[in-house]
Amino acid sequence: MDKLHKLRSHPSQRSGYAMALALGLALLFQAAPASASLSPDWHFSSAYPTQNSLNAIWAENTNSVYVAGDGGVIFHWDGTTWTEMETPTERPLFSIHGTSSDNIWSVGGDSYQSTNDDKSVVLHYDGSSWLKMPPPVDWAGQSLTLSDVWVQSPTEVWAIIESYLSLFKWDGTKWNNIDFQGAIPGAFPEGSMNDVQWVDGLGLFMVGTHGQVIHFDGTNWTLEQKLEEGNFSINILTTIHAIDADHVYAGHNWGTVFKRN
């Protein structure tokens, strides 16, 4: 099944939003009395399945759901129970996606860390355990934090880098840097990409800052939408989801939903 929903904002914004929200809620609940109109039947019971923030979710089917989040946590729902899975990292995981229960990928990392092993985290689940995979690296051999992953097959895994205009593809052995910018004639992508998805019958889509939608049909790259120019962007597409070739949607930071005609 396709990736269902992103539970995170862009990774570079999450920490600030979370801190502001937590402070605001603390002040609100400290200052405001409980409303008499609220039902006494509802109350906070426990943080479950984890107290860590959960950033991404992927469902194989209704009885097999995986969630990933901060602290390197991954949980599996079997239709009855949440079970924490053992992972080889404590760094945040921002995205999870797979094609089957023995081919699931999760990516993340911490851009403030100094070592490649902590800065970029790539995990693969083979049906029995989560294993660390080599991360993609830049021209200087430095790894970069991954913000999203899409798995098309065991030899076709697409990943984008946090706060960069870049795309990498796993070919079953290694990561390859895809130069899509130079492949788009007469167009100039800017900023960074936030989400990536392959749509059967259409190809690959990426969305990001500047209201950009970039499309790869398997042969040609196209900049299908760009809403602004310059170093500063106020139009940010944060997520994309496709049901089929006729129903491709992108979410905008101002609460707008774009649909591809």
Side-chain angles (χ1 to χ4, degrees):
M1 291 179 63
D2 288 346
K3 187 166 45 178
L4 296 183
H5 182 64
K6 289 294 182 77
L7 301 182
R8 57 173 173 81
S9 60
H10 191 260
S12 61
Q13 300 168 328
R14 286 191 327 109
S15 297
Y17 288 164
M19 185 176 296
L21 178 60
L23 178 59
L25 289 175
L27 293 174
L28 173 64
F29 288 126
Q30 183 179 25
S35 172
S37 63
L38 295 179
S39 169
D41 296 331
W42 288 95
H43 63 279
F44 179 79
S45 176
S46 64
Y48 192 79
T50 176
Q51 294 184 8
N52 292 24
S53 295
L54 298 175
N55 304 320
I57 184 170
W58 175 74
E60 180 187 10
N61 53 57
T62 56
N63 292 321
S64 184
V65 182
Y66 298 83
V67 293
D70 290 355
V73 299
I74 296 179
F75 282 81
H76 178 241
W77 172 257
D78 63 5
T80 304
T81 306
W82 285 106
T83 302
E84 184 172 6
M85 308 181 78
E86 184 177 348
T87 68
T89 184
E90 293 183 354
R91 298 303 171 191
L93 297 172
F94 298 129
S95 179
I96 187 169
H97 188 253
T99 57
S100 63
S101 59
D102 59 359
N103 184 36
I104 309 173
W105 293 67
S106 185
V107 301
D110 186 344
S111 58
Y112 292 100
Q113 298 299 312
S114 59
T115 65
N116 277 2
D117 193 49
D118 292 325
K119 187 179 295 184
S120 180
V121 175
V122 181
L123 305 182
H124 178 252
Y125 186 66
D126 60 6
S128 60
S129 59
W130 285 98
L131 302 174
K132 271 193 174 183
M133 303 294 288
V137 296
D138 63 14
W139 59 271
Q142 297 296 310
S143 67
L144 300 167
T145 302
L146 294 156
S147 60
D148 194 46
V149 65
W150 183 270
V151 186
Q152 190 179 353
S153 73
T155 58
E156 293 179 285
V157 180
W158 305 86
I160 54 179
I161 306 300
E162 176 186 352
S163 302
Y164 278 78
L165 191 65
S166 59
L167 174 68
F168 285 86
K169 181 183 179 183
W170 175 261
D171 63 9
T173 304
K174 64 183 185 306
W175 290 101
N176 299 288
N177 190 355
I178 307 300
D179 181 21
F180 63 88
Q181 300 178 62
I184 303 177
F188 303 96
E190 295 183 80
S192 61
M193 293 290 103
N194 294 330
D195 200 12
V196 59
Q197 180 178 350
W198 184 277
V199 184
D200 290 341
L202 287 179
L204 190 79
F205 286 89
M206 293 188 294
V207 297
T209 64
H210 298 75
Q212 294 172 124
V213 179
I214 296 175
H215 177 220
F216 177 59
D217 64 8
T219 303
N220 299 309
W221 289 92
T222 306
L223 180 61
E224 292 193 343
Q225 175 177 283
K226 186 179 181 185
L227 301 180
E228 59 192 355
E229 306 281 344
N231 295 329
F232 184 74
S233 174
I234 62 172
N235 289 284
I236 302 171
L237 296 178
T238 57
T239 186
I240 183 170
H241 183 76
I243 302 171
D244 52 40
D246 298 320
H247 300 86
V248 183
Y249 302 92
H252 188 263
N253 62 316
W254 294 110
T256 304
V257 176
F258 287 83
K259 182 179 184 295
R260 188 177 190 266
N261 294 326

